[in-house]
Structure formats: C-alpha cells, structure tokens
C-alpha cells in the first residue's frame, strides 16, 4: 500500500521571515523581513504545500549543508540576498557583506544542492544590463542568451558575478527579477519607493509584477525546470504610468515632478541599470503548464485595485 502513496513534496526556502514563523531567517546585515519569501510562503500554504523557512546563514556552507541534510527537501528556493537600505548605494560601503550574501551565499546554496541532487530556484536580478536613454529607444529587449555586462554598482557587480558562476549548474533555475511590484506599500515595492519621492525619473523599463508571477515561479520549481529566465512582466512599465495609476486608484491628490536619467545619476553614488527584458522564453515555457502571464496593463490594474480595496 505504501508504494502507491504520492511522494511528499517539501520545499526549503532560504529567506528572511517574520518572528511568528516556524523557522526564522534574519538578514545578517540589513535586518530585512523577507518580503518576497513571505509572499511565496503565503502561496505555498494556500496550496497546502509543506514548506520549511530556513534560518541558516547562506554564507556558511556548513549551515546550509546541515539544513539540507536535516530536512531533505525535494525543492529549494533561495530568496536570500541583499540590496541595501535605503537603496543599493548601501552596497558601495558594505562590499564584503554584499559579497558574502549575493555571491558566497548563492554559491553555497546552489553548489550544496548540486552535491545532494536537489533542484534549486535562485531569485536573481535583471540589473546586469543597461542602456542609455537614447540607446534603449532602439535596442531590442535583452534575451537570456545576451551576455550580461553591467557592473556599474557594487550591487550589480555582485549579481553579475553570481550569475556567471552559477549558470553552469544543471540543477539550477535562475529567475531574473527587476523593479518588483506587489499589492502592498512595502519599502522594497517599486510603487512604495516611487510614492516616497516628489520628483521621479521619467524612465520606461521592465518590471516584475509579483502577484501574477510568483505562482509561476512555484510552477517552474515544481516541474524542475532549469536554466535562466527573464522573470519580468511582458511589456514596458513607466514610472510616470505608475504614478498616474496611483493617482487614479489610491492617491487622488498625488503630484510629482520628473527629471532625466542623467540628472538622477548625478545625485547617486553608483549608476543604476536601465533595461528592457524579453519575456518570450518565460511565456512560452509557462504555456506548457497551462499558465498565462498577464500583460503589463492588466497585471498593474489588478495590483492597484487590490491596493484601493485595502485602503492603502
């Protein structure tokens, strides 16, 4: 009778969690709260999945290996990493901490999973490409096959070096996110960040609308998909468009001014990536599992309607 029982799936997630979780992971450097990890946790629990939220320090190979051998998960999702507070300029003054989290920690998780034959999903970054304001008007969206090159900031360099190292592992699914957007006003939400400023950069680029895309990440992990995917919402998302939608749905008295990319770079310590990513490969793969990614406007309208319903 036992041989007919379905295999029990256990997902181990490395991330940063709130204090009421079964197992706690805290960010060694920024005391983060695992914004993306917690959103994924909620989806897993709603699906009735068995998950373990890890407290292991990913920069410690001993701790990572101990966690994996103890729980014996069928899948691992690594959401741990640092981008700095209040922004990635933090990484310029905390280079060692950034290396340990975004390079050493990622390598430890991916490599130990490889040793143990476990599929691992790594939440990475698309901020490893960039173009000028003029170039982006004429350049085709970056595909997964385009060699990444941007390392103008220490954060981007850490993500670039990390990807260059781990992309050769056959057990890896690497999801590149950019400017994550969700139905809350968390400090890491691109909408929340924009609303804190009176003056915004008038830029258009790729963004990751999480409510529609995180369920897709779980589908890909469950099916042991491997390789690199631009984990972005199809279409181009404009900062001005986001502010206009915020004014329409949640901030009727909202006002703002705009300025150019060059002006922004003059007041930042490190350059920022400015890119548009091609989501075709992601869309095609998910269609194999019957999942459709919403286009930019539909996905954003859904997020802002939820924000309005919450009274945020």
């Amino acid at each position: 009778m036992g041989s007919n029982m379905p295999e029990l799936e256990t997902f181990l997630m490395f991330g940063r969690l709130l204090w009421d979780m079964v197992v706690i992971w805290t960010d060694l450097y920024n005391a983060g709260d695992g914004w993306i990890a917690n959103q994924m946790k909620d989806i897993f629990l709603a699906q009735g999945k068995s998950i373990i939220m890890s407290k292991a320090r990913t920069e410690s190979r001993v701790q990572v290996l101990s966690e994996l051998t103890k729980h014996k998960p069928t899948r691992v999702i690594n959401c741990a990493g640092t981008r700095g507070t209040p922004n990635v300029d933090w990484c310029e003054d905390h280079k060692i901490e950034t290396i340990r989290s975004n390079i050493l920690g990622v390598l430890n998780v991916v490599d130990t999973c490889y040793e143990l034959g476990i599929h691992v999903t790594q939440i990475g970054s698309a901020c490893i490409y960039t173009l000028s304001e003029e170039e982006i008007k004429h350049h085709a969206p970056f595909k997964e096959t385009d060699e990444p090159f941007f390392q103008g900031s220490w954060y981007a360099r850490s993500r670039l070096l990390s990807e260059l190292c781990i992309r050769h592992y056959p057990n890896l699914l690497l999801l590149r996110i950019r400017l994550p957007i969700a139905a809350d006003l968390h400090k890491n939400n691109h909408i929340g960040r924009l609303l804190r400023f009176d003056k915004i950069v008038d830029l258009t680029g790729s963004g990751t609308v999480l409510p529609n895309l995180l369920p897709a990440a779980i589908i890909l992990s469950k099916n042991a998909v491997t390789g690199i995917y631009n984990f972005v919402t199809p279409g181009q998302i404009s900062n001005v468009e986001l502010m206009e939608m915020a004014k329409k749905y949640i901030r009727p008295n909202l006002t703002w001014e705009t300025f150019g990319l060059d002006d922004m770079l003059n007041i930042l310590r490190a350059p920022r990536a400015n890119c548009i990513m091609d989501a075709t490969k992601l869309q095609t793969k998910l269609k194999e599992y019957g999942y459709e990614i919403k286009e930019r406007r539909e996905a954003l309208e859904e997020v802002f309607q939820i924000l309005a319903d919450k009274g945020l």
Side-chain angles (χ1 to χ4, degrees), residues 49-89:
K49 300 292 185 182
S50 173
I51 62 170
I52 298 158
M53 309 300 279
S54 175
K55 64 179 180 180
R57 301 293 193 193
T58 57
E59 67 270 25
S60 169
R61 187 180 181 87
V62 172
Q63 289 191 33
V64 171
L65 185 57
S66 174
E67 199 81 341
L68 293 174
T69 53
K70 174 184 176 182
H71 296 294
K72 296 180 174 58
T74 54
R75 300 282 185 272
V76 167
I77 299 176
N78 186 21
C79 301
T82 186
R83 58 172 293 276
T85 300
N87 55 48
V88 298
D89 281 345

Side-chain angles (χ1 to χ4, degrees), residues 12-17 19 21-29 37 52-71 73 76-81 100-101 104-106 108-110 112-113:
L12 176 62
M13 293 180 63
F14 291 97
R16 294 156 295 198
L17 312 178
W19 290 105
M21 300 311 302
V22 175
V23 183
I24 303 168
W25 166 265
T26 55
D27 185 354
L28 182 60
Y29 306 113
I52 298 158
M53 309 300 279
S54 175
K55 64 179 180 180
R57 301 293 193 193
T58 57
E59 67 270 25
S60 169
R61 187 180 181 87
V62 172
Q63 289 191 33
V64 171
L65 185 57
S66 174
E67 199 81 341
L68 293 174
T69 53
K70 174 184 176 182
H71 296 294
V76 167
I77 299 176
N78 186 21
C79 301
R100 298 187 77 197
S101 178
L104 181 59
V106 170
N108 280 336
V109 173
V110 174
T112 50
C113 284

Side-chain angles (χ1 to χ4, degrees), residues 1-9:
M1 182 174 66
S3 60
N4 295 324
M5 294 292 289
E7 179 188 3
L8 177 62
E9 290 185 314

Side-chain angles (χ1 to χ4, degrees), residues 138-188:
H138 311 289
H139 196 284
F142 288 105
K143 297 183 178 181
E144 290 82 354
T145 52
D146 293 320
E147 189 69 15
F149 58 87
F150 178 65
Q151 49 182 321
S153 69
W154 193 256
Y155 170 79
R157 180 174 295 189
S158 72
R159 290 300 192 180
L160 174 61
L161 292 174
S162 172
E163 176 170 317
L164 293 178
C165 291
I166 65 175
R167 64 184 182 181
H168 305 287
Y169 281 83
N171 60 319
L172 171 72
L173 170 64
L174 176 58
L175 302 178
R176 297 167 167 170
I177 69 170
R178 183 172 188 271
L179 300 181
I181 293 170
D184 59 38
L185 295 181
H186 189 277
K187 60 184 177 65
N188 290 336

